[in-house]
Amino acid sequence: MNLILLGPPGAGKGTQAEGLAAKHDLVQLSTGAMLRAAVKAGTEVGLKADAVMKKGGLVSDDIVVRIIKDRIAEPDCENGFILDGFPRTLPQAAALEKMLRSAKRRLDAVIELKVDDKVLVERISGRFSCSKCSAGYHDTFKPTKVRGVCDTCGSKDFTRRADDKAETVQARLMAYYKETSPLIGYYFAKGRLETVDGMGSIEQVGADIEAAIENLAG
Ligand code: ADP
Ligand code: AMP
């Protein structure tokens, strides 16, 4: 099964992708996480992406399309993947369609997560993750079970994203509405889109996504 989670920054794509990947034995592919790893490693891609990401803009289509094309060709993606943060522009969606067609694979469902802007800002400002295993948390909405200890790997090292600052969040939201939201119409027209209310609890949204997948892929 191949899925896309579509939605603004902070909508819960990464959180839901984590759960779905474990449940359905799929690989979670977050272009944001891959780009952050490239920045940290100081690769050529990382050097190009860094300044754009700091400002909350979108990295060029060429770069992210190449990253995804290489990644979905790897053996662990054979059973399927969840795209979280890709595609983000119409040219990226067209490139994805082309690569899936040539690999004789199909897109089973595109799940749009709808969340109010005010709530997005709240979610982003409290977000943190484990430095070791990348498990995602929130100060209020999803704290670790034991304070200061990662539920998944036991690490005591956590990190907050440099672009989760209030100034950058505005630019990221603008980029979403301008460049990414047209994908909602694009996938609706293809009969692949299901919209899920992302305002509920993590568990409720997860259950609604499962039902939406059943609707489309079932
Ligand atoms: P995205 O990947 O779409 O940018 P995340 O999955 O990282 O968003 O979620 C943003 C923040 O909101 C995280 O700190 C996460 O723990 C929290 N979060 C995710 N889903 C919910 C939810 N349904 N209710 C409350 N908080 C949530
Ligand atoms: P995310 O982790 O999905 O919030 O992405 C963090 C940042 O990485 C974004 O603000 C963009 O600068 C960049 N990015 C991630 N995915 C893409 C993409 N598909 N296209 C362009 N830029 C991206």
Side-chain angles (χ1 to χ4, degrees), residues 64-115:
V64 289
V65 166
R66 203 171 332 122
I67 292 179
I68 285 295
K69 196 172 177 192
D70 292 346
R71 187 64 187 86
I72 64 176
E74 286 180 29
D76 64 336
C77 287
E78 251 165 48
N79 188 49
F81 49 78
I82 306 167
L83 291 168
D84 145 22
F86 180 93
R88 251 175 160 103
T89 64
L90 287 167
Q92 289 178 23
L96 174 67
E97 205 169 310
K98 202 170 144 199
M99 65 180 100
L100 289 177
R101 202 180 314 123
S102 67
K104 296 194 167 45
R105 302 179 71 152
R106 65 182 233 130
L107 185 59
D108 296 282
V110 179
I111 309 293
E112 180 208 0
L113 291 178
K114 252 187 134 76
V115 174

Side-chain angles (χ1 to χ4, degrees), residues 3-211:
L3 305 173
I4 294 176
L5 291 183
L6 190 62
K13 303 182 295 297
T15 305
Q16 296 300 335
E18 243 181 70
L20 283 165
K23 190 166 172 204
H24 296 277
D25 190 23
L26 303 171
V27 179
Q28 177 185 357
L29 302 178
S30 156
T31 37
M34 293 177 204
L35 290 166
R36 281 187 290 281
V39 170
K40 202 169 164 193
T43 63
E44 205 183 318
V45 162
L47 292 175
K48 280 189 193 150
D50 193 25
V52 183
M53 290 171 78
K54 275 194 182 122
K55 280 193 280 185
L58 292 187
V59 174
S60 78
D61 291 337
D62 284 359
I63 290 182
V64 289
V65 166
R66 203 171 332 122
I67 292 179
I68 285 295
K69 196 172 177 192
D70 292 346
R71 187 64 187 86
I72 64 176
E74 286 180 29
D76 64 336
C77 287
E78 251 165 48
N79 188 49
F81 49 78
I82 306 167
L83 291 168
D84 145 22
F86 180 93
R88 251 175 160 103
T89 64
L90 287 167
Q92 289 178 23
L96 174 67
E97 205 169 310
K98 202 170 144 199
M99 65 180 100
L100 289 177
R101 202 180 314 123
S102 67
K104 296 194 167 45
R105 302 179 71 152
R106 65 182 233 130
L107 185 59
D108 296 282
V110 179
I111 309 293
E112 180 208 0
L113 291 178
K114 252 187 134 76
V115 174
D116 294 352
D117 290 350
K118 249 187 159 165
V119 174
L120 293 174
V121 175
E122 249 172 44
R123 287 190 185 174
I124 290 172
S125 58
R127 167 161 61 187
F128 66 98
S129 64
C130 173
S131 310
K132 197 170 161 213
C133 73
S134 304
Y137 297 98
H138 189 280
D139 293 325
T140 315
F141 307 132
K142 194 189 174 197
T144 54
K145 290 194 181 94
V146 178
R147 201 185 158 84
V149 181
C150 176
D151 298 353
T152 311
C153 76
S155 164
K156 293 182 175 168
D157 226 9
F158 295 93
T159 177
R160 284 180 198 263
R161 283 170 48 174
D163 61 348
D164 277 351
K165 299 190 291 276
E167 313 88 85
T168 323
V169 170
Q170 294 308 321
R172 288 165 61 205
L173 278 175
M174 286 296 288
Y176 175 78
Y177 288 116
K178 203 167 155 217
E179 306 279 352
T180 310
S181 64
L183 296 182
I184 297 167
Y186 177 88
Y187 286 117
F188 175 75
K190 289 186 180 296
R192 296 282 88 187
L193 187 82
E194 279 281 326
T195 299
V196 166
D197 178 4
M199 294 286 287
S201 67
I202 293 173
E203 293 71 24
Q204 183 60 57
V205 176
D208 291 349
I209 291 176
E210 291 293 344

